[in-house]
Amino acid sequence: MAKIALSGYFLSVASGLATGLAVMMAVDVSAADAPVSEAAQRAEGAGQWSEAVRLHRAQAAAEPTRSDLWVRISDIEVRLGNTNAAIAALQSAIKAAPSDPTLHARLSRTYSVAGQPLQGLKAMEAALSLAPASFEYLKARAELANWLGRPATAADSYRRMLDIRPDDAPLRLLLARARSWSGELDSSSNDYADYVVQHPDEAVALLEYARVESWRGNFTHAIELLDRYERKFGDPKLVAKER
């Protein structure tokens, strides 16, 4: 079966996700979820990050249920560019509070910043097991799945996201694409058919729909769609190539 060339797409997803997550992790470490030692706060305020980490670790050892201290340590390590240390700190936070989905999601984001999307996907799956209806977590799961070239997982994420936001048209297009890449051609065709009815002026979607129809073996309809594309959008050279 013919395939759309996806390598450039996955690389752009990976780059954009890592960049965005790096920004997300650059949080304000001065915020406290519970009392933090004054010495550690002074060290943070003075930008003495190594000393702050040492003091936070000492307090965390004395208060083993304080996952927030490990989160602070992780945030500082991210600020310093020490992503492996940040990951280790979040793993300690999860040991202290294993049922907190936000910690698993943080770990997933940090793995992504570290260029470890497979581990990031596993951590996001753990977050979703605790918060299965989280739109944010499903979106992150889809992005990681695309990064890893796992369109079936991405398609499942988009489907669940549409359960939450059934009128989100861009999600319908993403689902159609992911289903086509994973070989769910009949479902993808139905998704594209719905989408192009609602968005008749979107050239890319119409062209992709024609490709999916050809992959299904529905060549008559594929040619009809290409004819429609040529009449509406021109570009006879592209249409000739697709034919």
Side-chain angles (χ1 to χ4, degrees), residues 128 131-139 156-169 171-172 175:
L128 277 167
S134 170
F135 190 90
E136 176 188 352
Y137 296 169
L138 287 167
K139 180 180 179 182
D156 178 70
S157 300
Y158 294 135
R159 179 188 57 76
R160 291 165 63 181
M161 291 164 74
L162 277 167
D163 288 341
I164 300 170
R165 298 183 186 176
D167 297 325
D168 192 323
L171 270 180
R172 180 71 59 186
L175 176 60

PDB file of all heavy atoms in Angstrom, residues 128 131-139 156-169 171-172 175:
ATOM      1  N   LEU A 128      -2.555   8.691  32.117  1.00  0.00           N
ATOM      2  CA  LEU A 128      -3.910   8.466  31.594  1.00  0.00           C
ATOM      3  C   LEU A 128      -4.627   7.343  32.333  1.00  0.00           C
ATOM      4  O   LEU A 128      -5.862   7.347  32.420  1.00  0.00           O
ATOM      5  CB  LEU A 128      -3.841   8.155  30.102  1.00  0.00           C
ATOM      6  CG  LEU A 128      -3.753   9.380  29.197  1.00  0.00           C
ATOM      7  CD1 LEU A 128      -3.365   8.977  27.778  1.00  0.00           C
ATOM      8  CD2 LEU A 128      -5.081  10.138  29.185  1.00  0.00           C
ATOM      9  N   ALA A 131      -6.061   9.328  34.994  1.00  0.00           N
ATOM     10  CA  ALA A 131      -6.959  10.402  34.562  1.00  0.00           C
ATOM     11  C   ALA A 131      -7.326  10.165  33.100  1.00  0.00           C
ATOM     12  O   ALA A 131      -6.866  10.875  32.206  1.00  0.00           O
ATOM     13  CB  ALA A 131      -6.293  11.768  34.752  1.00  0.00           C
ATOM     14  N   PRO A 132      -8.149   9.140  32.812  1.00  0.00           N
ATOM     15  CA  PRO A 132      -8.393   8.720  31.426  1.00  0.00           C
ATOM     16  C   PRO A 132      -9.131   9.740  30.571  1.00  0.00           C
ATOM     17  O   PRO A 132      -9.093   9.636  29.339  1.00  0.00           O
ATOM     18  CB  PRO A 132      -9.212   7.441  31.586  1.00  0.00           C
ATOM     19  CG  PRO A 132      -9.815   7.530  32.946  1.00  0.00           C
ATOM     20  CD  PRO A 132      -8.830   8.266  33.783  1.00  0.00           C
ATOM     21  N   ALA A 133      -9.781  10.715  31.175  1.00  0.00           N
ATOM     22  CA  ALA A 133     -10.547  11.697  30.404  1.00  0.00           C
ATOM     23  C   ALA A 133      -9.812  13.021  30.247  1.00  0.00           C
ATOM     24  O   ALA A 133     -10.417  14.021  29.862  1.00  0.00           O
ATOM     25  CB  ALA A 133     -11.909  11.938  31.057  1.00  0.00           C
ATOM     26  N   SER A 134      -8.517  13.030  30.531  1.00  0.00           N
ATOM     27  CA  SER A 134      -7.752  14.272  30.415  1.00  0.00           C
ATOM     28  C   SER A 134      -7.443  14.566  28.949  1.00  0.00           C
ATOM     29  O   SER A 134      -6.688  13.835  28.306  1.00  0.00           O
ATOM     30  CB  SER A 134      -6.444  14.180  31.207  1.00  0.00           C
ATOM     31  OG  SER A 134      -5.605  15.284  30.918  1.00  0.00           O
ATOM     32  N   PHE A 135      -8.008  15.640  28.429  1.00  0.00           N
ATOM     33  CA  PHE A 135      -7.761  16.037  27.038  1.00  0.00           C
ATOM     34  C   PHE A 135      -6.284  16.368  26.846  1.00  0.00           C
ATOM     35  O   PHE A 135      -5.676  15.999  25.831  1.00  0.00           O
ATOM     36  CB  PHE A 135      -8.628  17.248  26.688  1.00  0.00           C
ATOM     37  CG  PHE A 135      -8.639  17.607  25.233  1.00  0.00           C
ATOM     38  CD1 PHE A 135      -9.573  17.050  24.381  1.00  0.00           C
ATOM     39  CD2 PHE A 135      -7.728  18.514  24.717  1.00  0.00           C
ATOM     40  CE1 PHE A 135      -9.592  17.374  23.029  1.00  0.00           C
ATOM     41  CE2 PHE A 135      -7.730  18.846  23.374  1.00  0.00           C
ATOM     42  CZ  PHE A 135      -8.668  18.279  22.529  1.00  0.00           C
ATOM     43  N   GLU A 136      -5.702  17.056  27.817  1.00  0.00           N
ATOM     44  CA  GLU A 136      -4.286  17.440  27.736  1.00  0.00           C
ATOM     45  C   GLU A 136      -3.389  16.210  27.648  1.00  0.00           C
ATOM     46  O   GLU A 136      -2.456  16.164  26.838  1.00  0.00           O
ATOM     47  CB  GLU A 136      -3.903  18.277  28.949  1.00  0.00           C
ATOM     48  CG  GLU A 136      -2.436  18.653  29.004  1.00  0.00           C
ATOM     49  CD  GLU A 136      -2.030  19.313  30.315  1.00  0.00           C
ATOM     50  OE1 GLU A 136      -2.922  19.613  31.130  1.00  0.00           O
ATOM     51  OE2 GLU A 136      -0.821  19.504  30.518  1.00  0.00           O
ATOM     52  N   TYR A 137      -3.666  15.206  28.459  1.00  0.00           N
ATOM     53  CA  TYR A 137      -2.828  14.012  28.452  1.00  0.00           C
ATOM     54  C   TYR A 137      -3.008  13.222  27.154  1.00  0.00           C
ATOM     55  O   TYR A 137      -2.037  12.673  26.611  1.00  0.00           O
ATOM     56  CB  TYR A 137      -3.164  13.111  29.651  1.00  0.00           C
ATOM     57  CG  TYR A 137      -2.869  13.724  30.994  1.00  0.00           C
ATOM     58  CD1 TYR A 137      -3.328  13.122  32.173  1.00  0.00           C
ATOM     59  CD2 TYR A 137      -2.147  14.914  31.122  1.00  0.00           C
ATOM     60  CE1 TYR A 137      -3.070  13.662  33.415  1.00  0.00           C
ATOM     61  CE2 TYR A 137      -1.892  15.469  32.363  1.00  0.00           C
ATOM     62  CZ  TYR A 137      -2.361  14.845  33.509  1.00  0.00           C
ATOM     63  OH  TYR A 137      -2.114  15.401  34.750  1.00  0.00           O
ATOM     64  N   LEU A 138      -4.238  13.159  26.657  1.00  0.00           N
ATOM     65  CA  LEU A 138      -4.478  12.466  25.393  1.00  0.00           C
ATOM     66  C   LEU A 138      -3.754  13.167  24.242  1.00  0.00           C
ATOM     67  O   LEU A 138      -3.204  12.514  23.345  1.00  0.00           O
ATOM     68  CB  LEU A 138      -5.979  12.402  25.111  1.00  0.00           C
ATOM     69  CG  LEU A 138      -6.766  11.417  25.978  1.00  0.00           C
ATOM     70  CD1 LEU A 138      -8.260  11.670  25.832  1.00  0.00           C
ATOM     71  CD2 LEU A 138      -6.429   9.972  25.601  1.00  0.00           C
ATOM     72  N   LYS A 139      -3.755  14.495  24.265  1.00  0.00           N
ATOM     73  CA  LYS A 139      -3.049  15.249  23.225  1.00  0.00           C
ATOM     74  C   LYS A 139      -1.558  14.953  23.281  1.00  0.00           C
ATOM     75  O   LYS A 139      -0.912  14.723  22.234  1.00  0.00           O
ATOM     76  CB  LYS A 139      -3.299  16.740  23.402  1.00  0.00           C
ATOM     77  CG  LYS A 139      -2.604  17.602  22.363  1.00  0.00           C
ATOM     78  CD  LYS A 139      -2.890  19.077  22.591  1.00  0.00           C
ATOM     79  CE  LYS A 139      -2.164  19.948  21.566  1.00  0.00           C
ATOM     80  NZ  LYS A 139      -2.408  21.395  21.820  1.00  0.00           N
ATOM     81  N   ASP A 156      -6.017   6.304  18.286  1.00  0.00           N
ATOM     82  CA  ASP A 156      -6.806   6.029  19.496  1.00  0.00           C
ATOM     83  C   ASP A 156      -6.905   7.269  20.371  1.00  0.00           C
ATOM     84  O   ASP A 156      -7.974   7.557  20.943  1.00  0.00           O
ATOM     85  CB  ASP A 156      -6.160   4.881  20.278  1.00  0.00           C
ATOM     86  CG  ASP A 156      -6.894   4.571  21.563  1.00  0.00           C
ATOM     87  OD1 ASP A 156      -8.016   4.041  21.487  1.00  0.00           O
ATOM     88  OD2 ASP A 156      -6.364   4.882  22.655  1.00  0.00           O
ATOM     89  N   SER A 157      -5.819   8.024  20.469  1.00  0.00           N
ATOM     90  CA  SER A 157      -5.845   9.261  21.260  1.00  0.00           C
ATOM     91  C   SER A 157      -6.816  10.272  20.663  1.00  0.00           C
ATOM     92  O   SER A 157      -7.628  10.874  21.378  1.00  0.00           O
ATOM     93  CB  SER A 157      -4.442   9.867  21.341  1.00  0.00           C
ATOM     94  OG  SER A 157      -3.528   8.980  21.941  1.00  0.00           O
ATOM     95  N   TYR A 158      -6.738  10.474  19.336  1.00  0.00           N
ATOM     96  CA  TYR A 158      -7.625  11.446  18.686  1.00  0.00           C
ATOM     97  C   TYR A 158      -9.088  11.025  18.826  1.00  0.00           C
ATOM     98  O   TYR A 158      -9.969  11.871  19.018  1.00  0.00           O
ATOM     99  CB  TYR A 158      -7.265  11.592  17.211  1.00  0.00           C
ATOM    100  CG  TYR A 158      -5.900  12.197  16.970  1.00  0.00           C
ATOM    101  CD1 TYR A 158      -5.024  11.648  16.032  1.00  0.00           C
ATOM    102  CD2 TYR A 158      -5.480  13.321  17.675  1.00  0.00           C
ATOM    103  CE1 TYR A 158      -3.775  12.203  15.809  1.00  0.00           C
ATOM    104  CE2 TYR A 158      -4.226  13.875  17.458  1.00  0.00           C
ATOM    105  CZ  TYR A 158      -3.384  13.311  16.516  1.00  0.00           C
ATOM    106  OH  TYR A 158      -2.151  13.869  16.299  1.00  0.00           O
ATOM    107  N   ARG A 159      -9.360   9.726  18.713  1.00  0.00           N
ATOM    108  CA  ARG A 159     -10.732   9.247  18.870  1.00  0.00           C
ATOM    109  C   ARG A 159     -11.268   9.570  20.259  1.00  0.00           C
ATOM    110  O   ARG A 159     -12.402  10.046  20.411  1.00  0.00           O
ATOM    111  CB  ARG A 159     -10.780   7.735  18.613  1.00  0.00           C
ATOM    112  CG  ARG A 159     -12.172   7.125  18.776  1.00  0.00           C
ATOM    113  CD  ARG A 159     -12.108   5.605  18.695  1.00  0.00           C
ATOM    114  NE  ARG A 159     -11.209   5.024  19.690  1.00  0.00           N
ATOM    115  CZ  ARG A 159     -11.508   4.895  20.970  1.00  0.00           C
ATOM    116  NH1 ARG A 159     -12.668   5.310  21.454  1.00  0.00           N
ATOM    117  NH2 ARG A 159     -10.625   4.344  21.806  1.00  0.00           N
ATOM    118  N   ARG A 160     -10.448   9.334  21.275  1.00  0.00           N
ATOM    119  CA  ARG A 160     -10.870   9.627  22.643  1.00  0.00           C
ATOM    120  C   ARG A 160     -10.997  11.125  22.877  1.00  0.00           C
ATOM    121  O   ARG A 160     -11.872  11.572  23.632  1.00  0.00           O
ATOM    122  CB  ARG A 160      -9.878   8.996  23.626  1.00  0.00           C
ATOM    123  CG  ARG A 160      -9.949   7.473  23.636  1.00  0.00           C
ATOM    124  CD  ARG A 160      -8.757   6.813  24.300  1.00  0.00           C
ATOM    125  NE  ARG A 160      -8.651   7.155  25.722  1.00  0.00           N
ATOM    126  CZ  ARG A 160      -7.675   6.702  26.520  1.00  0.00           C
ATOM    127  NH1 ARG A 160      -6.737   5.905  26.016  1.00  0.00           N
ATOM    128  NH2 ARG A 160      -7.644   7.044  27.791  1.00  0.00           N
ATOM    129  N   MET A 161     -10.151  11.911  22.217  1.00  0.00           N
ATOM    130  CA  MET A 161     -10.268  13.365  22.326  1.00  0.00           C
ATOM    131  C   MET A 161     -11.573  13.847  21.690  1.00  0.00           C
ATOM    132  O   MET A 161     -12.223  14.769  22.191  1.00  0.00           O
ATOM    133  CB  MET A 161      -9.070  14.030  21.657  1.00  0.00           C
ATOM    134  CG  MET A 161      -7.756  13.816  22.406  1.00  0.00           C
ATOM    135  SD  MET A 161      -6.288  14.192  21.406  1.00  0.00           S
ATOM    136  CE  MET A 161      -6.363  15.994  21.390  1.00  0.00           C
ATOM    137  N   LEU A 162     -11.965  13.208  20.570  1.00  0.00           N
ATOM    138  CA  LEU A 162     -13.226  13.585  19.924  1.00  0.00           C
ATOM    139  C   LEU A 162     -14.424  13.205  20.776  1.00  0.00           C
ATOM    140  O   LEU A 162     -15.478  13.849  20.688  1.00  0.00           O
ATOM    141  CB  LEU A 162     -13.324  12.926  18.551  1.00  0.00           C
ATOM    142  CG  LEU A 162     -12.613  13.662  17.424  1.00  0.00           C
ATOM    143  CD1 LEU A 162     -12.503  12.771  16.190  1.00  0.00           C
ATOM    144  CD2 LEU A 162     -13.324  14.965  17.091  1.00  0.00           C
ATOM    145  N   ASP A 163     -14.298  12.178  21.595  1.00  0.00           N
ATOM    146  CA  ASP A 163     -15.370  11.852  22.539  1.00  0.00           C
ATOM    147  C   ASP A 163     -15.598  13.009  23.510  1.00  0.00           C
ATOM    148  O   ASP A 163     -16.723  13.239  23.975  1.00  0.00           O
ATOM    149  CB  ASP A 163     -15.041  10.584  23.318  1.00  0.00           C
ATOM    150  CG  ASP A 163     -15.137   9.327  22.456  1.00  0.00           C
ATOM    151  OD1 ASP A 163     -15.790   9.387  21.399  1.00  0.00           O
ATOM    152  OD2 ASP A 163     -14.544   8.296  22.846  1.00  0.00           O
ATOM    153  N   ILE A 164     -14.521  13.718  23.808  1.00  0.00           N
ATOM    154  CA  ILE A 164     -14.601  14.855  24.730  1.00  0.00           C
ATOM    155  C   ILE A 164     -15.048  16.113  23.995  1.00  0.00           C
ATOM    156  O   ILE A 164     -15.849  16.898  24.510  1.00  0.00           O
ATOM    157  CB  ILE A 164     -13.238  15.077  25.410  1.00  0.00           C
ATOM    158  CG1 ILE A 164     -12.816  13.824  26.196  1.00  0.00           C
ATOM    159  CG2 ILE A 164     -13.273  16.300  26.333  1.00  0.00           C
ATOM    160  CD1 ILE A 164     -11.380  13.867  26.694  1.00  0.00           C
ATOM    161  N   ARG A 165     -14.540  16.310  22.771  1.00  0.00           N
ATOM    162  CA  ARG A 165     -14.873  17.493  21.973  1.00  0.00           C
ATOM    163  C   ARG A 165     -15.367  17.046  20.597  1.00  0.00           C
ATOM    164  O   ARG A 165     -14.636  17.107  19.603  1.00  0.00           O
ATOM    165  CB  ARG A 165     -13.649  18.405  21.830  1.00  0.00           C
ATOM    166  CG  ARG A 165     -13.138  18.945  23.156  1.00  0.00           C
ATOM    167  CD  ARG A 165     -11.976  19.905  22.931  1.00  0.00           C
ATOM    168  NE  ARG A 165     -11.385  20.332  24.189  1.00  0.00           N
ATOM    169  CZ  ARG A 165     -10.312  21.116  24.277  1.00  0.00           C
ATOM    170  NH1 ARG A 165      -9.726  21.555  23.163  1.00  0.00           N
ATOM    171  NH2 ARG A 165      -9.823  21.459  25.463  1.00  0.00           N
ATOM    172  N   PRO A 166     -16.597  16.574  20.506  1.00  0.00           N
ATOM    173  CA  PRO A 166     -17.093  15.989  19.255  1.00  0.00           C
ATOM    174  C   PRO A 166     -17.190  16.959  18.088  1.00  0.00           C
ATOM    175  O   PRO A 166     -17.254  16.525  16.934  1.00  0.00           O
ATOM    176  CB  PRO A 166     -18.477  15.449  19.648  1.00  0.00           C
ATOM    177  CG  PRO A 166     -18.862  16.210  20.870  1.00  0.00           C
ATOM    178  CD  PRO A 166     -17.588  16.505  21.588  1.00  0.00           C
ATOM    179  N   ASP A 167     -17.206  18.260  18.343  1.00  0.00           N
ATOM    180  CA  ASP A 167     -17.342  19.243  17.271  1.00  0.00           C
ATOM    181  C   ASP A 167     -16.005  19.842  16.844  1.00  0.00           C
ATOM    182  O   ASP A 167     -15.985  20.821  16.092  1.00  0.00           O
ATOM    183  CB  ASP A 167     -18.286  20.371  17.707  1.00  0.00           C
ATOM    184  CG  ASP A 167     -19.694  19.865  17.987  1.00  0.00           C
ATOM    185  OD1 ASP A 167     -20.122  18.925  17.280  1.00  0.00           O
ATOM    186  OD2 ASP A 167     -20.351  20.387  18.899  1.00  0.00           O
ATOM    187  N   ASP A 168     -14.913  19.257  17.283  1.00  0.00           N
ATOM    188  CA  ASP A 168     -13.585  19.775  16.960  1.00  0.00           C
ATOM    189  C   ASP A 168     -13.166  19.250  15.588  1.00  0.00           C
ATOM    190  O   ASP A 168     -12.652  18.136  15.457  1.00  0.00           O
ATOM    191  CB  ASP A 168     -12.589  19.347  18.042  1.00  0.00           C
ATOM    192  CG  ASP A 168     -11.258  20.068  17.945  1.00  0.00           C
ATOM    193  OD1 ASP A 168     -10.821  20.317  16.811  1.00  0.00           O
ATOM    194  OD2 ASP A 168     -10.648  20.362  18.987  1.00  0.00           O
ATOM    195  N   ALA A 169     -13.372  20.052  14.543  1.00  0.00           N
ATOM    196  CA  ALA A 169     -13.089  19.618  13.171  1.00  0.00           C
ATOM    197  C   ALA A 169     -11.616  19.302  12.930  1.00  0.00           C
ATOM    198  O   ALA A 169     -11.295  18.297  12.284  1.00  0.00           O
ATOM    199  CB  ALA A 169     -13.583  20.660  12.178  1.00  0.00           C
ATOM    200  N   LEU A 171      -9.510  18.049  14.877  1.00  0.00           N
ATOM    201  CA  LEU A 171      -9.264  16.728  15.450  1.00  0.00           C
ATOM    202  C   LEU A 171      -9.753  15.632  14.507  1.00  0.00           C
ATOM    203  O   LEU A 171      -9.120  14.577  14.380  1.00  0.00           O
ATOM    204  CB  LEU A 171      -9.978  16.584  16.798  1.00  0.00           C
ATOM    205  CG  LEU A 171      -9.220  16.979  18.052  1.00  0.00           C
ATOM    206  CD1 LEU A 171     -10.091  16.769  19.280  1.00  0.00           C
ATOM    207  CD2 LEU A 171      -7.933  16.190  18.180  1.00  0.00           C
ATOM    208  N   ARG A 172     -10.879  15.878  13.847  1.00  0.00           N
ATOM    209  CA  ARG A 172     -11.409  14.898  12.900  1.00  0.00           C
ATOM    210  C   ARG A 172     -10.412  14.654  11.764  1.00  0.00           C
ATOM    211  O   ARG A 172     -10.214  13.517  11.331  1.00  0.00           O
ATOM    212  CB  ARG A 172     -12.728  15.408  12.331  1.00  0.00           C
ATOM    213  CG  ARG A 172     -13.393  14.491  11.323  1.00  0.00           C
ATOM    214  CD  ARG A 172     -13.950  13.242  11.954  1.00  0.00           C
ATOM    215  NE  ARG A 172     -14.930  13.552  12.985  1.00  0.00           N
ATOM    216  CZ  ARG A 172     -15.491  12.653  13.785  1.00  0.00           C
ATOM    217  NH1 ARG A 172     -15.140  11.388  13.676  1.00  0.00           N
ATOM    218  NH2 ARG A 172     -16.369  13.003  14.701  1.00  0.00           N
ATOM    219  N   LEU A 175      -7.515  12.616  13.095  1.00  0.00           N
ATOM    220  CA  LEU A 175      -7.925  11.219  13.231  1.00  0.00           C
ATOM    221  C   LEU A 175      -7.932  10.524  11.874  1.00  0.00           C
ATOM    222  O   LEU A 175      -7.469   9.382  11.746  1.00  0.00           O
ATOM    223  CB  LEU A 175      -9.312  11.141  13.878  1.00  0.00           C
ATOM    224  CG  LEU A 175      -9.921   9.743  14.005  1.00  0.00           C
ATOM    225  CD1 LEU A 175      -9.028   8.842  14.844  1.00  0.00           C
ATOM    226  CD2 LEU A 175     -11.324   9.817  14.605  1.00  0.00           C
TER     227      LEU A 175
END
